[in-house]
Amino acid sequence: MISPTILSSIRYVLSLGDDPNIHDFLRQALRISEGDDVSNEGTLHVPYSGVHMSPYSFALVSAGDWPAAFQHVEEGKQTGKPISLLFLSGCLDQWERVGSQIERMWMLDDTLRCVVCLSADAALKPVPLSLSRPEQWAVFRMTGLGEECYQMASCLSAFSSSSSPGLLGKAWAGESSARVDGEVVPIVIKDVVAQQAELASARDELATSKVYVDNVLRSMADSLLVIDASMTIGSVNPSLLELLGYREDELIGQSPGLIFGEEFAQGSIIENLLLQGSVSGIESSFLTHDGRLIPISVSGSMMQDEQGQFQGLVCVAQDITERKRMEEEKLQLHAQLLDTSRQLGMAEVASDVLHNVGNVLNSINVSIGVIGDLLKHSMVGDVGRISQLFQKHQDDLGSYFATNPKGKQVPAYLEKLAGQLLEEQRVAIAEIERLRQNAHHAQQCVASQQDLAKPNGITEPISIVSLVEEALEANQELLEASQIEVSREFHEIPQLIVDKYQVLEVMVDVIRNACQAMALAPAKHLVVRAKLIPGPPDSVCLEVQDSGVGIVPEDLIKIFGQGYSAKNGGRGMSLHSGALIAKNIGGALRAHSEGLGHGATFSLDLPGNFHFTDL
């Protein structure tokens, strides 16, 4: 006869991992002996945890890897012995996979509860996982306290949506018998025992919930600070203690100003929390135990009871030291980029020359290869062999051509040979012409960049008006041939300290471009201006305005691009080179046009490095 007892149901626990210490810990914490027969569900017993009772007993199953774990879960569903709890251990090195694998487990059994076990001395704190069933998983640090583990297992088992009353429900309902494996089993339950069991179960659930919450708070990667209603520190988590270098007893009961410093004393954070109820992403700083300031991003909310009374503040802080360092590094890199962009522009020109010349050389190599193959396989050698044949039969050439079978073929072969040699000559001439064109193209590529290769950097005081007149004189022949009327509008400008030859080069090119733009214009009028622009900073502007074809708006920036040209046969490099030179001397070359048919104005801005002779 089975002695009266409180019926319990078996909960199957799956331990996933290759750490035997974790497996042994779970066996001891869940009161599972080595000799337990987990398949004997007719054996009814109640495990004890101190003075508390749980309505469940546990059977432990182990799996060394995920495939084996999936198999156990599937078999449990098929045999009517589903896995209730899954303990995962030793998974920090594969933390990114944990979330996806747990989701797969839930696809097999959506009632499964999962506990991720971390060692107490784990150096790393895993990033939070975003799972579809947040209420069905928890993180547990293996502190060695089996009581906490047992209470968590009992609580999670009680929460399982797959649990049905069964024998356990009948026992708690006070029935006097139940059927186990087809047999009627007497049950004797005294009211006091039932009440004690219910009370113990409630205690277990409460204790497990506390363990669960404590483990969540201890496992947080962010720093947690709870300020109670008296505006003192009520609770902190290990992340905050580790970040600031304090012990818990050194902070509890102290003013938050101890760790927030002046920013907290000024009241900005507290004021926002009290007025708005919550804040998010406010940048502040923590003051560490050794006096260092750590930049943080603070989010928080105000706690209230059911009656709306203020209970305190909850603040979560993220250490943004690395983000601040990266922002500072980004600013430094940006400054370096601005500092070197001028040099990169010159390197871009040189690279383009090499690229273009390289393409031309490839075409030249192809043509040389074609000519080489043509000469190597030419039939011109057959002419010598026919000549030798004529010499051999020179005494009887008529008879040889008339009667000899080979001799009869000579005239037809000579005709074919003549055609082949003419074709070889044609191909050779075409490739030689292509070689000439490619060589000329390479010469143009180099010529388009020769101006930038001249020595520069020598500055001297110069008269800007004289420099502009010199640029006009350099284009005098083109101006007269095109019958262009020139107007001069010059302000009185002090001598300017600048590299004369670089400025002169830009102005000569700009005036030449303006003359070419007016080639088809009915009225050809060129206006050249030299203006003083008061500052600060003072500057000088040289303008060249033409009455040419104009520029469409989308081309106002393109015209300064490398290799761009709107003129057939033009080099297309003068404006690009001019923009680079202007930037090199601290100025800028700009273009303005109202559109096609309205002419264009090019402006060269120069910094006002004036030279005054009377000082």
Side-chain angles (χ1 to χ4, degrees), residues 21 54 57 76 88 125 144 167 209-210 212 259 319 340 354 369 377 387 423 472 498 529 531 539 568 583 599:
N21 294 328
S54 172
S57 60
L88 301 90
K125 296 181 178 178
L167 291 178
S209 298
K210 181 180 181 303
Y212 178 83
I259 58 175
D319 182 1
T340 58
L354 293 175
H377 301 94
S387 175
E423 177 63 19
L472 288 170
V498 72
R529 303 184 182 91
K531 302 187 297 184
S539 62
N568 293 330
K583 189 173 183 179

Side-chain angles (χ1 to χ4, degrees), residues 225-228 230-236 246-260 264:
L225 172 68
V226 178
I227 302 174
D228 56 27
S230 61
M231 299 306 296
T232 60
I233 299 176
S235 179
V236 294
Y246 280 99
R247 298 192 313 272
E248 187 174 4
D249 58 350
E250 293 176 322
L251 293 180
I252 301 301
Q254 299 294 325
S255 168
L258 176 65
I259 58 175
F260 274 110
F264 180 84

Side-chain angles (χ1 to χ4, degrees), residues 346 449-456:
M346 304 299 291
Q449 309 297 334
Q450 282 181 340
D451 291 343
L452 296 177
K454 294 178 181 179
N456 55 67

Side-chain angles (χ1 to χ4, degrees), residues 25-26 28-31 120 140-152 211 215 218:
F25 171 80
L26 291 175
Q28 295 175 8
L30 302 180
R31 279 54 169 184
F140 180 71
R141 286 194 176 270
M142 305 301 292
T143 60
L145 299 179
E147 179 70 18
E148 293 182 355
C149 180
Y150 179 79
Q151 291 174 349
M152 174 180 285
V211 171
N215 272 284
R218 286 200 301 267

